[in-house]
Amino acid sequence: MSKAELKKVSDTKVTKKVKKGEALFEEGDKLDGVFCVRDGISKLSKLSANGKDQIVKLASKGEVMGQRSVIAEEYTNLSAVAVSDMEVCFIPKDSIVHTLNRNPDYAVEILRHMAHDLKEADDVIVNMSQKTVKQRIAEAFLYLKSNYGEDEQGFLVLTLSREDIANVVGTATESAIRIISEFKKKGMIKTSGKKIGVLNEKLLQELTEGF
Amino acid sequence: MSKAELKKVSDTKVTKKVKKGEALFEEGDKLDGVFCVRDGISKLSKLSANGKDQIVKLASKGEVMGQRSVIAEEYTNLSAVAVSDMEVCFIPKDSIVHTLNRNPDYAVEILRHMAHDLKEADDVIVNMSQKTVKQRIAEAFLYLKSNYGEDEQGFLVLTLSREDIANVVGTATESAIRIISEFKKKGMIKTSGKKIGVLNEKLLQELTEGF
DNA sequence: AATATTATATGATAATTGTCACCTTTTCAA
DNA sequence: TTGAAAAGGTGACAATTATCATATAATATT
């Protein structure tokens, strides 16, 4: 859904506050509408057979969650949990279907957006299967920096727990922690509690490309 | 694109024969239309930084390739190479755009299809990051059997090279070969040249779930 | 403030996977 | 049909990653 189209619809809807850690929906839920993110960030994850959560995507301001299952009329394959305090609005299915039928351009816009998501998913697949954990973690920090920025002290604005970081890159929490320690020792990043700051972007970049 | 819609469009187009190993398009190409598969199977892959091909999807009869980039109006992020002799038809971009504008249902159909692809991609991400190579190979064989079937002697109809198998599950060719040997030793599969047959589906199934 | 709980951290070790070397078999083209 | 090239196969070893144990720090709860 395009931001413009979205705004038009969502402005008429009430927003809802969601606290960090709360779930918007769970894997297997039947969604009767989509959530659009007004503020804050949510993780979209899928439980794997071995009991670990794989974070497939982070959704922030302007993004929509749940549209895949609403459109395909399937139960959702992902869970959405707030990783920061959020403000979301809910757009009921009817309203979407209605707009879809009345406005062909709207469908094309959603289509474009989904095509983009699909490309991103392809990239994630390649990263997951071809890069080492170290490379994926380096990439994750660069991604967090460029997408959510850093604060005045140079720490990433979006603070994820070590466990969440591990679940983004698909590794064990201990492995993620170990690599974070290593990056710190090498001066590539700095930490303060769970906050992380990028110190040497170039080094991280080179690492992702296979030094 | 739905099979019904597709047929309508594609029946009016000339089909083209593509020999095994030939490329339909390469990563980075600008596509001015989509290819639909009439017969045979194509691999859709993406080159990773370390020079390995990651196969992201196999496309067979009724499936459409390249629609993502045509719709998003981006250069394609994937290469398409025939893994068996194929017959494809080409639908020019203009024809697609034209139909999109005239027929709203058509957009919704494509939308549904893409939503499905997106879900599948999510599943692949989870598999890639949470399952072992052994589990992924077992899964690949089950997938090949249920999607493309087996011949009279019980061998998988779609014969992939060991390298392609490795590229589907994202591992080194040698690792794939080793695991195939192991499966054979344990009586889970049989081989004959590069052909592979599933002997014990239950064992393979259990393996994918973590024995 | 004291305590329970959760998150972070690190060592030791095992399991998995990749890499390189080398050999054999199959395939294909001259 | 006969070599050359490609694909398949295996051993040895190195590198990566997971697991388990345990310790410490941070956070929440009463």
Side-chain angles (χ1 to χ4, degrees), chain A residues 26-74:
Chain A
E26 305 266 7
E27 207 174 324
D29 282 358
K30 200 179 160 220
L31 302 182
D32 49 352
V34 303
F35 295 90
C36 68
V37 182
R38 281 284 182 80
D39 196 33
I41 291 153
S42 169
K43 60 179 174 183
L44 289 160
S45 66
K46 188 164 160 40
L47 206 65
S48 72
N50 59 36
K52 274 187 193 161
D53 246 9
Q54 174 65 38
I55 297 178
V56 167
K57 187 177 165 60
L58 293 169
S60 56
K61 197 172 181 170
E63 293 195 270
V64 180
M65 300 184 292
Q67 65 179 325
R68 199 211 60 76
S69 17
V70 166
I71 286 165
E73 292 178 13
E74 295 169 352

Side-chain angles (χ1 to χ4, degrees), chain B residues 52 131-134 136 170-172 174-175 178:
Chain B
K52 274 187 193 161
K131 293 195 171 172
T132 64
V133 174
K134 210 176 285 185
R136 281 179 269 155
T171 191
E174 298 95 321
S175 297
R178 235 178 275 278

Side-chain angles (χ1 to χ4, degrees), chain A residues 8-20:
Chain A
K8 203 159 53 181
V9 186
S10 73
D11 278 354
T12 67
K13 302 289 161 191
V14 259
T15 64
K16 184 181 152 192
K17 290 193 187 291
V18 183
K19 280 197 191 125
K20 177 176 171 179

Side-chain angles (χ1 to χ4, degrees), chain A residues 23-191:
Chain A
L24 282 133
F25 53 84
E26 305 266 7
E27 207 174 324
D29 282 358
K30 200 179 160 220
L31 302 182
D32 49 352
V34 303
F35 295 90
C36 68
V37 182
R38 281 284 182 80
D39 196 33
I41 291 153
S42 169
K43 60 179 174 183
L44 289 160
S45 66
K46 188 164 160 40
L47 206 65
S48 72
N50 59 36
K52 274 187 193 161
D53 246 9
Q54 174 65 38
I55 297 178
V56 167
K57 187 177 165 60
L58 293 169
S60 56
K61 197 172 181 170
E63 293 195 270
V64 180
M65 300 184 292
Q67 65 179 325
R68 199 211 60 76
S69 17
V70 166
I71 286 165
E73 292 178 13
E74 295 169 352
Y75 293 95
T76 176
N77 59 325
L78 301 173
S79 297
V81 174
V83 291
S84 68
D85 287 346
M86 299 183 74
E87 219 173 286
V88 301
C89 61
F90 182 78
I91 306 172
K93 189 179 175 173
D94 292 346
S95 161
I96 293 170
V97 173
H98 187 248
T99 315
L100 268 179
N101 290 337
R102 283 171 47 109
N103 187 352
D105 291 347
Y106 179 62
V108 175
E109 280 189 49
I110 298 186
L111 207 46
R112 284 230 175 79
H113 194 275
M114 213 174 277
H116 175 76
D117 277 358
L118 195 52
K119 181 184 182 178
E120 277 203 337
D122 286 343
D123 290 341
V124 173
I125 291 172
V126 175
N127 277 341
M128 284 296 176
S129 50
Q130 304 281 7
K131 293 195 172 172
T132 64
V133 174
K134 208 175 288 185
Q135 289 176 311
R136 280 179 270 156
I137 291 184
E139 199 154 43
F141 290 151
L142 295 175
Y143 177 86
L144 292 177
K145 182 178 170 186
S146 76
N147 280 272
Y148 308 112
E150 45 193 17
D151 62 21
E152 316 76 48
Q153 292 100 48
F155 289 104
L156 295 173
V157 169
L158 177 57
T159 301
L160 293 175
S161 70
R162 305 292 195 257
E163 189 181 3
D164 276 344
I165 294 173
N167 290 345
V168 165
V169 303
T171 190
T173 307
E174 298 96 318
S175 298
I177 290 174
R178 235 178 273 277
I179 289 168
I180 290 171
S181 299
E182 189 192 326
F183 283 1
K184 195 177 166 183
K185 237 172 254 164
K186 290 185 178 161
M188 302 160 99
I189 61 171
K190 62 179 174 181
T191 68

